[in-house]
Amino acid sequence: MAETVTLSGKTSAGLLASLTPLLREWLPRQRWFAGKGSPVTGFSLVAATELLPAESRLGLYHLLVRAHQGAVPGDCYQLLLGVREALPPRLAPALIGHVPDGPLAGRTVYDALYDTRPTEVLLEALRTRARIGVLRCERDPAQEIRTGLIPRRLTSEQSNSSVVYGDTFILKLLRRVVPGTNPDLELPLALAREGCPRVPAPTAWMHAELDGESYVLGVLQPYVQGATDGWELALRELAKGEDFGAEARALGRATAEVHTALAGALPTATLGHAQLGPLVDGMIERLDAAAQAVPALHPYAPALRTAFTALAGLAAEGHTWTAQRVHGDLHLGQCLRAPSGEWALIDFEGEPARPLAERRMPQPTVRDVAGMLRSFDYAAHSADPPAPGWAAACRAAYCSGYAEVAGADPRTDPVLLRAYETDKAVYEVVYEARHRPDWLPVPLSAIRRLAASDQL
Ligand SMILES: Nc1ncnc2c1ncn2[C@@H]1O[C@H](COP(=O)(O)OP(=O)(O)O)[C@@H](O)[C@H]1O
Ligand SMILES: O=P(O)(O)O[C@H]1O[C@H](CO)[C@@H](O[C@H]2O[C@H](CO)[C@@H](O)[C@H](O)[C@H]2O)[C@H](O)[C@H]1O
């Protein structure tokens, strides 16, 4: 591996100044950019590390940059920038721009995750537990990382960016990074220690040490070869008019296995009146904000609010609930079915827009169950014609499968389940209004059902 350096203050200031106009254009267009809606006014450099010298044919920089949006410093993003004289045609979609001045004047800068050599450099750093400037790589000594694996970038990227190496490993590079323990590494590591086979065990990971704080930057894990995700599979079965009950039941069992392992690995808590109050307040605040943001939700808000006040009422009567660490953003797209038929769960980041501390709090497991129940409903309502009976059968099979392993059926606590399902549907209304307005009718159909009923 080439010699690597953390850039001096002067060099990095020059670098950032010349990159700023290009990044200001490019960053807001990325799928993973979280600050959509308000313009980026500037950047500050959090860390810059040269992984391949810029003077060579191919330069490579690892950057952590804070995007400023208005007066307050905004989110910190991880960028891997390649530097070349000119881009070969295969790298055209990766173009960020041509640098007009400064230390890289006349050269072309691009998103290096599209390129083979830079992604090989990352894997090599993980394999060799490299420490480069602020970057630190660590790995599970029990797992081997072979050399010579061919990288390819995943095009189905969502909140982050992923590279698959020879169908053996997948490296997820977090794009918006925050200091602290990241559940996307914390939970799979805890599950691996607990011997839970439902979640690929982290093979290696990279973080940055900055001012005494650690930022998780990426996680390498075994790639589930030939897997189909639950969303794709559900839509396929729906289109064929096929029953999905057996798969839904297996998914319920897999979810309960993961919950059982998480409860064994990490602290649990009891939620009584004092703890539930703030949780319910949060649900009501999210509902009010959503009803303001999406007018179509407004007429249903009073009826939806009863889902939350009913839960607060139970707590006031002295009911308690068990809380533990959960997935936090579970839906069919986070479930992978291997050709063997086994299900794996991925992406333990939680809802990325929520603060880390909130995402790491113990919560009732029904939060994940509600996410999956919503997902069956989503699949059924994106079919033409909608198939509510199919969703109802999947939801029942999922809860039965869950109960077989957990020993308790989520449907036996309808007030809790309705509150969490309502909270999720409200979140989805805002998500769709912001990202996919054509999909808004899907969560709105659930909103109508939830507003009209006081049970599952
Ligand atoms: N271990 C894995 N094996 C196979 N495919 C995976 C694995 N982990 C993730 N993927 C694929 O990568 C995609 C993105 O992963 P995910 O963790 O959900 O990232 P994001 O946070 O960007 O949504 C998933 O939808 C899935 O198709
Ligand atoms: O996968 P992400 O962590 O990025 O989750 C976000 O995007 C999801 C859509 O890609 C969104 O999920 C919603 O749509 C799914 C179908 O596309 C459906 O299966 C889910 O049940 C529904 O919530 C998710 O809410 C959002 O956080």
Side-chain angles (χ1 to χ4, degrees), residues 31 158-159 231 329 331-334 347 371 374-375 378 424 427-428 431-432 436 439:
R31 166 72 171 83
Q158 306 269 309
S159 316
W231 175 253
D329 191 19
H331 56 81
L332 280 164
Q334 316 281 36
D347 195 2
R374 291 288 316 113
S375 218
Y378 248 75
K424 187 73 189 180
Y427 164 84
E428 289 167 342
Y431 178 86
E432 301 301 1
R436 308 184 292 193
W439 286 60

Side-chain angles (χ1 to χ4, degrees), residues 58-377:
L58 166 60
L60 184 61
Y61 288 113
H62 180 280
L63 297 189
L64 294 174
V65 293
R66 197 169 293 287
H68 297 262
Q69 296 184 273
V72 286
D75 295 320
C76 181
Y77 291 95
Q78 174 175 210
L79 309 179
L80 192 69
L81 300 187
V83 181
R84 286 172 179 260
E85 287 304 328
L87 284 191
R90 68 182 168 85
L91 290 177
L95 176 71
I96 295 178
H98 307 286
V99 187
D101 47 34
L104 300 177
R107 308 202 63 192
T108 303
V109 173
Y110 65 103
D111 182 352
L113 281 184
Y114 284 69
D115 203 356
T116 308
R117 178 74 192 116
T119 46
E120 284 171 351
V121 168
L122 287 181
L123 186 64
E124 190 58 9
L126 289 163
R127 202 181 67 77
T128 57
R129 293 191 188 88
R131 297 167 78 86
I132 312 161
V134 298
L135 306 180
R136 305 273 177 279
C137 296
E138 291 174 41
R139 57 179 278 203
D140 171 5
Q143 294 189 55
E144 191 202 349
I145 304 177
R146 276 198 297 115
T147 53
L149 297 170
I150 310 290
R152 71 181 159 89
R153 193 184 66 95
L154 264 201
T155 47
S156 63
E157 65 172 35
Q158 306 269 309
S159 316
N160 300 289
S161 298
S162 300
V163 180
V164 176
Y165 293 93
D167 276 3
T168 304
F169 295 112
I170 179 164
L171 171 64
K172 170 163 161 177
L173 277 190
L174 301 178
R175 287 302 197 162
R176 192 173 70 94
V177 297
V178 287
T181 306
N182 191 313
D184 219 0
L185 175 61
E186 179 197 20
L187 296 189
L189 278 179
L191 288 164
R193 277 198 305 273
E194 206 62 18
C196 174
R198 293 285 169 204
V199 175
T203 310
W205 48 97
M206 179 166 85
H207 54 108
E209 287 302 325
L210 286 161
D211 301 327
E213 293 194 294
S214 176
Y215 292 64
V216 174
L217 301 176
V219 181
L220 184 77
Q221 56 170 257
Y223 183 71
V224 184
Q225 283 182 30
T228 314
D229 78 52
W231 175 253
E232 226 176 283
L233 205 62
L235 290 191
R236 201 187 292 166
E237 300 303 290
L238 257 168
K240 290 194 288 190
E242 297 278 338
D243 177 50
F244 199 61
E247 295 298 356
R249 179 180 230 100
L251 275 167
R253 295 180 62 91
T255 309
E257 281 173 35
V258 169
H259 282 165
T260 305
L262 284 175
L266 294 163
T268 60
T270 301
L271 304 182
H273 189 222
Q275 296 77 22
L276 212 76
L279 266 179
V280 169
D281 289 348
M283 290 174 175
I284 293 175
E285 275 163 30
R286 285 192 286 278
L287 171 62
D288 290 345
Q292 284 290 321
V294 186
L297 187 62
H298 208 262
Y300 304 103
L304 295 175
R305 198 170 290 119
T306 64
F308 306 139
T309 50
L311 182 58
L314 277 188
E317 284 168 19
H319 268 72
T320 58
W321 291 268
T322 303
Q324 62 160 84
R325 298 298 300 281
V326 297
H327 180 285
D329 191 19
L330 196 59
H331 56 81
L332 280 164
Q334 316 281 36
C335 307
L336 299 179
R337 188 181 178 279
S340 65
E342 294 291 321
W343 284 96
L345 306 191
I346 56 163
D347 195 2
F348 283 75
E349 205 183 0
E351 281 174 16
R354 296 209 192 185
L356 210 57
E358 196 183 314
R359 290 191 251 151
R360 293 187 62 225
M361 265 169 21
Q363 301 179 62
T365 49
V366 81
R367 172 154 185 182
D368 287 345
V369 170
M372 286 301 291
L373 298 186
R374 291 288 316 113
S375 218
F376 294 122
D377 193 62

